[in-house]
Amino acid sequence: MFAVRSIRMLAGAAVLATALTACSDNPAGLDPSELDATEVAAQEAQLQSALNVPVLYSLLGESGSSVSLSVAPAPLNASASLDPLDAVRSNGTLFRKAVDAALNGPMFAVANPGESADWYIAPEVWGQTFVRDATTGEYVWDDMRTDAPARGIRIVLYQRTGLETFNNTVVGALDLIDSSTTTSQVGRINLYNAQNHLVATFRETNTETGVETRTVNATFTGTFGVSPKTFVVADTMTGTVTETATIYTTDLRWRSISKATFMNAERSMLFEGLDLGAEGDTGSLEFTILMGEHTTRMVASSTGANAGTAQIYIDDTLVAKSVETATGTEMRAPDGGEVSPRVRSYLTAVFMAAARLPDATALRLALAFVLPYFY
Protein backbone atom coordinates (compact mmCIF):
# COMPACT_ATOMS: atom_id res chain seq x y z
CA MET A 1 0.00 0.00 0.00
CA PHE A 2 1.58 3.17 0.95
CA ALA A 3 5.13 3.12 1.10
CA VAL A 4 4.46 5.04 4.05
CA ARG A 5 8.88 3.21 6.96
CA SER A 6 9.00 7.95 5.61
CA ILE A 7 9.74 8.92 4.78
CA ARG A 8 12.17 10.13 6.73
CA MET A 9 9.79 8.93 9.39
CA LEU A 10 12.58 6.86 10.86
CA ALA A 11 15.07 9.54 10.00
CA GLY A 12 12.90 12.05 11.80
CA ALA A 13 12.75 9.71 14.76
CA ALA A 14 16.51 9.38 14.65
CA VAL A 15 16.76 13.16 14.67
CA LEU A 16 14.67 13.18 17.82
CA ALA A 17 16.96 10.68 19.44
CA THR A 18 20.29 12.17 18.35
CA ALA A 19 19.40 15.83 18.70
CA LEU A 20 19.24 15.36 22.46
CA THR A 21 21.72 17.61 24.20
CA ALA A 22 23.85 15.75 26.67
CA CYS A 23 24.20 15.38 30.42
CA SER A 24 21.46 15.78 33.16
CA ASP A 25 19.74 14.17 36.05
CA ASN A 26 18.23 10.78 35.38
CA PRO A 27 14.44 10.74 34.81
CA ALA A 28 12.49 9.92 37.96
CA GLY A 29 11.07 6.40 37.94
CA LEU A 30 13.58 4.99 35.45
CA ASP A 31 16.70 2.99 36.29
CA PRO A 32 19.32 4.09 33.73
CA SER A 33 21.40 0.98 34.42
CA GLU A 34 18.73 -1.02 32.59
CA LEU A 35 19.22 0.99 29.40
CA ASP A 36 21.94 -0.88 27.54
CA ALA A 37 22.71 0.61 24.12
CA THR A 38 25.17 -2.21 23.41
CA GLU A 39 22.44 -4.77 23.90
CA VAL A 40 20.17 -2.88 21.51
CA ALA A 41 22.98 -2.75 18.95
CA ALA A 42 23.20 -6.54 19.16
CA GLN A 43 19.45 -6.75 18.55
CA GLU A 44 19.85 -4.49 15.54
CA ALA A 45 22.50 -6.85 14.21
CA GLN A 46 20.07 -9.77 14.53
CA LEU A 47 17.45 -7.87 12.55
CA GLN A 48 19.95 -6.95 9.86
CA SER A 49 21.16 -10.54 9.67
CA ALA A 50 17.60 -11.70 8.94
CA LEU A 51 17.54 -9.37 5.95
CA ASN A 52 20.93 -10.50 4.68
CA VAL A 53 19.40 -12.57 1.89
CA PRO A 54 20.35 -11.72 -1.73
CA VAL A 55 16.82 -11.03 -2.98
CA LEU A 56 15.89 -9.02 0.13
CA TYR A 57 19.12 -7.04 -0.11
CA SER A 58 18.46 -6.45 -3.79
CA LEU A 59 15.08 -4.95 -2.99
CA LEU A 60 15.77 -3.16 0.28
CA GLY A 61 19.48 -2.46 0.46
CA GLU A 62 21.35 -2.15 3.76
CA SER A 63 18.30 -1.26 5.83
CA GLY A 64 14.85 -2.72 5.69
CA SER A 65 13.41 0.76 5.92
CA SER A 66 15.79 3.24 4.43
CA VAL A 67 16.72 1.78 1.06
CA SER A 68 18.18 4.43 -1.20
CA LEU A 69 16.73 7.19 0.97
CA SER A 70 19.97 8.08 2.72
CA VAL A 71 18.13 8.27 6.01
CA ALA A 72 20.55 6.29 8.15
CA PRO A 73 21.07 8.32 11.34
CA ALA A 74 24.24 10.24 10.54
CA PRO A 75 26.06 11.98 13.40
CA LEU A 76 24.01 14.99 14.43
CA ASN A 77 25.25 17.72 16.71
CA ALA A 78 23.45 18.56 19.90
CA SER A 79 22.04 21.80 18.52
CA ALA A 80 20.35 20.19 15.53
CA SER A 81 16.92 21.74 15.08
CA LEU A 82 13.89 19.56 15.74
CA ASP A 83 10.63 19.52 13.88
CA PRO A 84 8.23 16.97 15.42
CA LEU A 85 6.90 15.92 12.03
CA ASP A 86 10.11 16.43 10.10
CA ALA A 87 9.40 13.01 8.64
CA VAL A 88 6.61 14.55 6.61
CA ARG A 89 7.96 18.00 5.90
CA SER A 90 11.56 17.24 5.05
CA ASN A 91 10.62 14.67 2.47
CA GLY A 92 7.25 15.81 1.24
CA THR A 93 7.57 14.53 -2.32
CA LEU A 94 8.31 10.94 -1.34
CA PHE A 95 5.78 10.98 1.46
CA ARG A 96 3.06 12.21 -0.87
CA LYS A 97 3.98 9.55 -3.40
CA ALA A 98 3.51 6.99 -0.69
CA VAL A 99 0.12 8.32 0.36
CA ASP A 100 -0.98 8.81 -3.24
CA ALA A 101 -0.16 5.16 -3.81
CA ALA A 102 -2.54 4.23 -1.02
CA LEU A 103 -5.27 6.56 -2.21
CA ASN A 104 -5.01 6.20 -5.95
CA GLY A 105 -3.74 2.69 -6.48
CA PRO A 106 -0.17 1.43 -6.81
CA MET A 107 2.50 3.85 -7.93
CA PHE A 108 3.97 1.40 -10.38
CA ALA A 109 3.00 -0.62 -13.44
CA VAL A 110 0.18 1.65 -14.58
CA ALA A 111 0.99 2.57 -18.15
CA ASN A 112 -2.03 4.82 -18.67
CA PRO A 113 -3.29 5.93 -15.23
CA GLY A 114 -6.24 7.81 -16.67
CA GLU A 115 -7.51 4.73 -18.44
CA SER A 116 -6.53 2.22 -15.75
CA ALA A 117 -7.74 3.89 -12.56
CA ASP A 118 -9.95 0.93 -11.64
CA TRP A 119 -7.15 -1.61 -11.85
CA TYR A 120 -4.32 -2.51 -9.51
CA ILE A 121 -2.16 -3.35 -12.52
CA ALA A 122 -2.98 -1.85 -15.90
CA PRO A 123 -4.45 -4.61 -18.12
CA GLU A 124 -2.30 -3.51 -21.04
CA VAL A 125 0.81 -4.82 -19.25
CA TRP A 126 -0.67 -8.06 -17.87
CA GLY A 127 1.45 -11.09 -18.66
CA GLN A 128 4.62 -9.07 -19.25
CA THR A 129 8.02 -9.75 -17.68
CA PHE A 130 10.43 -6.89 -17.20
CA VAL A 131 14.20 -7.36 -17.08
CA ARG A 132 17.15 -5.08 -16.57
CA ASP A 133 18.87 -3.86 -19.71
CA ALA A 134 22.56 -4.76 -19.27
CA THR A 135 23.66 -1.59 -21.05
CA THR A 136 21.37 1.13 -19.70
CA GLY A 137 20.45 -0.47 -16.39
CA GLU A 138 16.79 0.38 -16.99
CA TYR A 139 13.91 -2.08 -16.98
CA VAL A 140 12.46 -3.15 -20.31
CA TRP A 141 9.80 -5.62 -21.41
CA ASP A 142 11.21 -8.98 -22.50
CA ASP A 143 8.66 -10.13 -25.06
CA MET A 144 10.27 -13.58 -25.22
CA ARG A 145 9.42 -14.48 -21.62
CA THR A 146 6.11 -16.03 -20.59
CA ASP A 147 6.64 -16.50 -16.84
CA ALA A 148 4.61 -13.50 -15.65
CA PRO A 149 1.23 -14.00 -13.92
CA ALA A 150 -1.73 -13.88 -16.30
CA ARG A 151 -3.29 -10.92 -14.45
CA GLY A 152 -0.11 -9.10 -13.54
CA ILE A 153 3.55 -8.56 -14.24
CA ARG A 154 6.91 -10.02 -13.20
CA ILE A 155 9.97 -7.90 -12.45
CA VAL A 156 13.29 -9.72 -12.37
CA LEU A 157 15.61 -8.63 -9.53
CA TYR A 158 19.39 -8.46 -9.63
CA GLN A 159 22.32 -8.52 -7.24
CA ARG A 160 22.82 -5.16 -5.60
CA THR A 161 26.40 -3.83 -5.65
CA GLY A 162 25.86 -0.41 -4.12
CA LEU A 163 23.29 2.13 -3.02
CA GLU A 164 21.70 2.30 -6.46
CA THR A 165 23.84 -0.06 -8.54
CA PHE A 166 23.33 -3.68 -9.61
CA ASN A 167 25.13 -6.30 -11.67
CA ASN A 168 23.51 -8.79 -14.04
CA THR A 169 23.23 -11.72 -11.60
CA VAL A 170 19.57 -12.68 -11.08
CA VAL A 171 18.66 -13.11 -7.40
CA GLY A 172 14.87 -13.39 -7.66
CA ALA A 173 11.68 -11.90 -9.02
CA LEU A 174 8.76 -9.78 -7.95
CA ASP A 175 5.21 -10.59 -9.13
CA LEU A 176 2.46 -7.97 -8.99
CA ILE A 177 -0.97 -9.58 -9.43
CA ASP A 178 -4.32 -7.89 -10.01
CA SER A 179 -7.44 -9.22 -8.25
CA SER A 180 -9.55 -6.07 -8.46
CA THR A 181 -13.32 -6.06 -8.35
CA THR A 182 -15.86 -3.50 -9.54
CA THR A 183 -15.82 -1.84 -6.10
CA SER A 184 -12.19 -1.99 -4.97
CA GLN A 185 -8.61 -2.32 -6.11
CA VAL A 186 -7.09 -5.55 -4.85
CA GLY A 187 -3.56 -6.70 -5.52
CA ARG A 188 -0.96 -9.16 -4.33
CA ILE A 189 2.79 -8.76 -4.31
CA ASN A 190 4.88 -11.94 -4.22
CA LEU A 191 8.65 -11.96 -3.86
CA TYR A 192 10.68 -15.02 -4.92
CA ASN A 193 14.34 -15.89 -4.52
CA ALA A 194 16.57 -17.27 -7.28
CA GLN A 195 15.31 -20.80 -6.54
CA ASN A 196 11.72 -19.57 -7.04
CA HIS A 197 10.87 -20.01 -3.36
CA LEU A 198 8.42 -17.48 -1.91
CA VAL A 199 10.15 -15.17 0.58
CA ALA A 200 7.52 -12.44 0.91
CA THR A 201 3.85 -12.00 0.12
CA PHE A 202 1.58 -8.99 0.62
CA ARG A 203 -2.07 -8.28 -0.05
CA GLU A 204 -3.20 -4.75 -0.75
CA THR A 205 -6.72 -3.37 -0.96
CA ASN A 206 -8.12 0.07 -1.65
CA THR A 207 -11.79 0.98 -1.58
CA GLU A 208 -13.02 4.53 -2.21
CA THR A 209 -16.44 6.16 -2.42
CA GLY A 210 -17.46 9.70 -3.28
CA VAL A 211 -16.31 12.25 -5.82
CA GLU A 212 -15.06 15.62 -4.56
CA THR A 213 -14.82 14.19 -1.05
CA ARG A 214 -13.67 10.61 -1.13
CA THR A 215 -13.84 8.15 1.75
CA VAL A 216 -10.79 5.90 1.72
CA ASN A 217 -10.16 2.49 3.25
CA ALA A 218 -6.83 0.92 2.30
CA THR A 219 -4.91 -2.01 3.79
CA PHE A 220 -1.55 -3.66 3.31
CA THR A 221 -0.74 -6.91 5.13
CA GLY A 222 1.82 -9.60 4.65
CA THR A 223 4.94 -11.50 5.69
CA PHE A 224 8.55 -10.93 4.83
CA GLY A 225 11.74 -12.98 5.16
CA VAL A 226 13.07 -16.51 5.18
CA SER A 227 11.71 -18.88 7.87
CA PRO A 228 12.24 -18.91 10.79
CA LYS A 229 13.45 -15.29 10.67
CA THR A 230 10.39 -13.58 9.31
CA PHE A 231 8.58 -10.28 9.76
CA VAL A 232 4.90 -9.38 9.77
CA VAL A 233 3.51 -6.06 8.55
CA ALA A 234 -0.01 -4.70 8.85
CA ASP A 235 -0.90 -1.23 7.60
CA THR A 236 -4.26 0.50 7.34
CA MET A 237 -5.29 3.93 6.14
CA THR A 238 -8.78 5.35 6.55
CA GLY A 239 -10.26 8.81 6.23
CA THR A 240 -11.30 11.36 3.67
CA VAL A 241 -9.71 13.25 0.80
CA THR A 242 -11.29 16.45 -0.49
CA GLU A 243 -10.25 17.84 -3.86
CA THR A 244 -11.56 20.89 -5.69
CA ALA A 245 -10.03 23.18 -8.30
CA THR A 246 -8.21 25.13 -5.58
CA ILE A 247 -8.23 22.96 -2.44
CA TYR A 248 -6.62 19.66 -1.55
CA THR A 249 -7.13 18.50 2.02
CA THR A 250 -7.05 15.17 3.81
CA ASP A 251 -8.18 13.86 7.16
CA LEU A 252 -6.43 10.52 7.41
CA ARG A 253 -5.72 7.93 10.06
CA TRP A 254 -2.70 5.81 9.24
CA ARG A 255 -1.71 2.80 11.36
CA SER A 256 1.45 0.82 10.58
CA ILE A 257 2.83 -2.19 12.47
CA SER A 258 6.06 -4.07 11.75
CA LYS A 259 7.05 -7.03 13.89
CA ALA A 260 9.85 -9.59 13.96
CA THR A 261 8.55 -13.08 14.72
CA PHE A 262 11.88 -14.39 16.05
CA MET A 263 12.69 -11.79 18.73
CA ASN A 264 11.15 -8.97 20.81
CA ALA A 265 11.25 -6.29 18.15
CA GLU A 266 8.19 -4.38 17.01
CA ARG A 267 7.48 -0.91 15.72
CA SER A 268 4.07 0.70 15.45
CA MET A 269 3.14 4.10 14.09
CA LEU A 270 -0.14 5.94 14.34
CA PHE A 271 -0.80 9.15 12.40
CA GLU A 272 -4.12 10.87 13.08
CA GLY A 273 -5.64 13.96 11.56
CA LEU A 274 -3.06 13.85 8.78
CA ASP A 275 -3.70 16.78 6.45
CA LEU A 276 -1.33 16.81 3.51
CA GLY A 277 -3.05 19.85 2.03
CA ALA A 278 -2.06 22.18 4.86
CA GLU A 279 1.07 24.27 4.70
CA GLY A 280 3.86 22.18 6.21
CA ASP A 281 1.45 19.26 6.72
CA THR A 282 -0.32 18.73 10.02
CA GLY A 283 -1.33 15.88 12.27
CA SER A 284 -0.44 13.95 15.40
CA LEU A 285 1.96 11.02 15.62
CA GLU A 286 2.51 8.23 18.12
CA PHE A 287 5.56 6.11 17.40
CA THR A 288 6.15 3.04 19.62
CA ILE A 289 9.15 0.70 19.59
CA LEU A 290 9.48 -2.55 21.53
CA MET A 291 13.12 -3.61 21.59
CA GLY A 292 14.01 -6.38 24.00
CA GLU A 293 12.50 -5.71 27.43
CA HIS A 294 11.80 -2.00 27.01
CA THR A 295 9.26 0.10 25.14
CA THR A 296 10.16 3.51 23.73
CA ARG A 297 7.37 5.84 22.69
CA MET A 298 7.43 9.17 20.89
CA VAL A 299 4.35 11.40 20.83
CA ALA A 300 4.38 14.43 18.54
CA SER A 301 1.98 16.86 16.94
CA SER A 302 2.27 19.49 14.25
CA THR A 303 0.02 22.40 13.40
CA GLY A 304 1.88 23.32 10.23
CA ALA A 305 4.81 25.62 9.46
CA ASN A 306 7.29 25.04 12.32
CA ALA A 307 4.85 24.71 15.20
CA GLY A 308 4.62 21.49 17.13
CA THR A 309 5.50 19.51 20.24
CA ALA A 310 7.17 16.18 20.97
CA GLN A 311 7.77 13.94 23.98
CA ILE A 312 9.76 10.72 24.31
CA TYR A 313 8.98 8.05 26.92
CA ILE A 314 10.81 4.88 27.98
CA ASP A 315 8.54 2.39 29.75
CA ASP A 316 5.98 5.17 30.28
CA THR A 317 8.54 7.46 31.94
CA LEU A 318 9.02 10.82 30.23
CA VAL A 319 12.71 11.15 29.36
CA ALA A 320 12.76 14.02 26.85
CA LYS A 321 10.57 16.74 25.42
CA SER A 322 10.82 19.46 22.80
CA VAL A 323 11.73 22.91 24.10
CA GLU A 324 11.78 26.18 22.18
CA THR A 325 15.12 27.97 22.45
CA ALA A 326 16.57 31.14 20.97
CA THR A 327 18.10 29.07 18.16
CA GLY A 328 15.18 26.75 17.46
CA THR A 329 13.67 23.60 18.95
CA GLU A 330 15.72 21.14 21.00
CA MET A 331 15.02 17.99 22.98
CA ARG A 332 15.57 18.46 26.70
CA ALA A 333 15.12 16.44 29.88
CA PRO A 334 11.70 16.76 31.56
CA ASP A 335 13.12 19.34 34.00
CA GLY A 336 14.43 21.43 31.12
CA GLY A 337 18.02 20.37 31.65
CA GLU A 338 20.20 18.32 29.39
CA VAL A 339 19.39 14.67 28.67
CA SER A 340 21.81 12.22 30.27
CA PRO A 341 24.38 10.62 27.95
CA ARG A 342 23.14 7.11 28.81
CA VAL A 343 19.54 7.92 27.88
CA ARG A 344 20.66 9.71 24.75
CA SER A 345 22.84 6.83 23.51
CA TYR A 346 20.09 4.32 24.33
CA LEU A 347 17.47 6.26 22.35
CA THR A 348 19.84 6.60 19.41
CA ALA A 349 20.43 2.84 19.41
CA VAL A 350 16.69 2.09 19.66
CA PHE A 351 15.71 4.30 16.72
CA MET A 352 18.53 2.88 14.61
CA ALA A 353 17.44 -0.67 15.41
CA ALA A 354 13.81 0.15 14.62
CA ALA A 355 14.93 1.35 11.20
CA ARG A 356 15.82 -2.27 10.38
CA LEU A 357 12.24 -3.49 10.56
CA PRO A 358 10.88 -3.79 6.99
CA ASP A 359 7.40 -2.51 6.20
CA ALA A 360 5.06 -1.36 3.47
CA THR A 361 6.82 1.96 3.10
CA ALA A 362 10.14 0.27 2.54
CA LEU A 363 8.68 -1.99 -0.13
CA ARG A 364 6.93 0.73 -2.06
CA LEU A 365 9.84 3.13 -2.00
CA ALA A 366 12.20 0.33 -2.91
CA LEU A 367 10.09 -0.24 -6.00
CA ALA A 368 10.13 3.46 -6.75
CA PHE A 369 13.93 3.48 -6.81
CA VAL A 370 14.65 0.04 -8.20
CA LEU A 371 12.17 0.15 -11.07
CA PRO A 372 12.77 3.36 -13.03
CA TYR A 373 10.91 1.93 -16.03
CA PHE A 374 7.60 2.80 -14.47
CA TYR A 375 8.25 6.52 -13.96
Side-chain angles (χ1 to χ4, degrees):
M1 162 177 131
F2 27 98
V4 190
R5 194 163 246 136
S6 190
I7 299 202
R8 298 209 184 223
M9 174 56 59
L10 294 178
V15 169
L16 288 175
T18 55
L20 305 170
T21 50
C23 208
S24 162
D25 294 334
N26 297 318
L30 183 68
D31 182 359
S33 66
E34 296 181 359
L35 306 180
D36 190 341
T38 302
E39 180 180 306
V40 175
Q43 293 165 339
E44 179 190 356
Q46 290 184 59
L47 294 172
Q48 183 58 32
S49 174
L51 295 171
N52 191 22
V53 177
V55 67
L56 301 184
Y57 179 61
S58 173
L59 193 61
L60 298 178
E62 290 292 344
S63 167
S65 65
S66 56
V67 55
S68 302
L69 301 182
S70 301
V71 301
L76 299 172
N77 60 47
S79 62
S81 63
L82 168 70
D83 185 330
L85 290 186
D86 181 67
V88 176
R89 299 188 187 120
S90 69
N91 208 17
T93 300
L94 285 176
F95 187 80
R96 290 170 187 276
K97 268 191 176 183
V99 175
D100 284 344
L103 301 179
N104 303 314
M107 58 183 182
F108 41 76
V110 178
N112 299 299
E115 299 175 14
S116 307
D118 295 331
W119 298 101
Y120 185 78
I121 304 296
E124 53 264 38
V125 295
W126 283 358
Q128 295 183 5
T129 296
F130 296 90
V131 299
R132 182 177 178 273
D133 185 284
T135 303
T136 66
E138 295 185 353
Y139 273 85
V140 296
W141 171 35
D142 185 343
D143 58 1
M144 299 298 292
R145 295 184 60 151
T146 59
D147 53 338
R151 290 177 59 95
I153 62 173
R154 167 161 288 197
I155 300 131
V156 178
L157 299 177
Y158 300 84
Q159 186 176 66
R160 184 186 288 269
T161 56
L163 189 62
E164 296 182 14
T165 59
F166 303 82
N167 63 25
N168 295 320
T169 301
V170 174
V171 294
L174 192 71
D175 284 0
L176 287 74
I177 304 166
D178 196 302
S179 304
S180 299
T181 68
T182 56
T183 58
S184 64
Q185 289 182 328
V186 182
R188 180 168 291 280
I189 301 172
N190 290 337
L191 178 66
Y192 300 90
N193 62 15
Q195 291 73 42
N196 205 36
H197 296 152
L198 189 68
V199 297
T201 182
F202 304 91
R203 186 176 187 271
E204 181 173 7
T205 67
N206 182 27
T207 303
E208 299 181 22
T209 58
V211 183
E212 290 187 355
T213 297
R214 291 179 289 152
T215 298
V216 176
N217 190 337
T219 66
F220 187 99
T221 59
T223 60
F224 203 95
V226 178
S227 181
K229 295 185 176 182
T230 60
F231 302 86
V232 175
V233 302
D235 289 30
T236 60
M237 181 183 286
T238 58
T240 60
V241 180
T242 301
E243 295 181 78
T244 67
T246 58
I247 299 174
Y248 170 65
T249 61
T250 65
D251 184 3
L252 299 172
R253 184 182 189 274
W254 179 1
R255 176 76 164 172
S256 176
I257 298 174
S258 302
K259 181 178 181 179
T261 63
F262 54 96
M263 60 182 291
N264 276 349
E266 181 176 347
R267 189 196 66 254
S268 65
M269 179 185 72
L270 176 62
F271 256 127
E272 292 188 293
L274 181 59
D275 184 2
L276 297 176
E279 180 181 357
D281 301 330
T282 64
S284 63
L285 165 68
E286 183 166 336
F287 190 67
T288 303
I289 302 166
L290 169 64
M291 196 61 59
E293 301 303 317
H294 299 286
T295 300
T296 300
R297 183 165 57 96
M298 179 182 73
V299 180
S301 64
S302 170
T303 55
N306 293 314
T309 61
Q311 300 85 35
I312 298 179
Y313 300 81
I314 298 177
D315 295 337
D316 294 324
T317 296
L318 179 65
V319 298
K321 63 180 180 179
S322 59
V323 175
E324 292 293 334
T325 69
T327 58
T329 308
E330 294 181 0
M331 294 304 290
R332 293 280 182 175
D335 61 3
E338 295 180 337
V339 177
S340 71
R342 190 178 189 103
V343 171
R344 180 188 179 194
S345 62
Y346 178 79
L347 289 173
T348 301
V350 165
F351 284 117
M352 291 180 68
R356 300 301 183 186
L357 289 164
D359 66 7
T361 298
L363 178 59
R364 282 189 163 270
L365 291 186
L367 290 170
F369 282 95
V370 173
L371 309 178
Y373 168 82
F374 300 113
Y375 292 87

